[in-house]
Amino acid sequence: MNPELEDLYQQVLLDHSKRPRNFGALTDGAVQVHGDNPSCGDEIDLSVCFGPEGAVEDIRFTGQGCAICMASASMMTLKLKGRSRLEATALAEAFHTLITGGNAAPDRALGDLQVMEGVRKFPQRVKCAMLAWRAFDQALTIHESTDRPTTPP
Ligand code: ZN
């Protein structure tokens, strides 16, 4: 990667870690998940409001962690908000591939999240980058186990 681009990526990361987007908690009917990464000291609380069919209606997080963890969580909420269940799951998979997937080309659907690609060179930081995404995955599972289809009248 050329140095200018790397510089730009660094700025995006720093910006998100210093001013995380969608920072806060949701209350009404939101699924709450706590995630931590003891090897680094990262902790986040994710709240997700699911709509019909498991669409991500709203998503917020709070917590404390390293720049990689916070930036990943911040960018994740921006990316997943308003997505259908299918889109959100596909993005989560694409992100996992991005930061662990050898030389696979980044999925363009990830947008700004592609700045996290450099994490794959630092295996111990992969957990930091994945923390919010693992929490989202857990939120989906919780939602699915509680979301009983309503019987038509
Ligand atoms: Zn970390």
Side-chain angles (χ1 to χ4, degrees), residues 2-21:
N2 75 59
E4 257 169 55
L5 197 61
E6 200 144 2
D7 214 47
L8 176 74
Y9 279 8
Q10 206 68 33
Q11 280 172 29
V12 173
L13 260 180
L14 275 178
D15 181 51
H16 275 277
S17 65
K18 282 187 183 154
R19 300 185 302 121
R21 319 299 199 272

Side-chain angles (χ1 to χ4, degrees), residues 29-97:
V31 176
Q32 316 277 352
V33 177
H34 178 80
D36 66 353
N37 174 25
S39 61
C40 178
D42 307 318
E43 282 196 53
I44 70 158
D45 285 286
L46 188 72
S47 332
V48 191
C49 266
F50 290 101
E53 319 271 317
V56 183
E57 276 189 348
D58 208 352
I59 177 164
R60 285 175 173 267
F61 79 104
T62 59
Q64 272 190 318
C66 66
I68 302 270
C69 168
M70 298 310 271
S72 181
S74 171
M75 286 190 266
M76 179 190 83
T77 58
L78 287 178
K79 200 75 202 168
L80 295 185
K81 193 170 169 176
R83 299 290 179 148
S84 70
R85 186 191 174 286
L86 208 66
E87 288 169 331
T89 320
L91 283 163
E93 246 169 67
F95 182 73
H96 188 255
T97 306

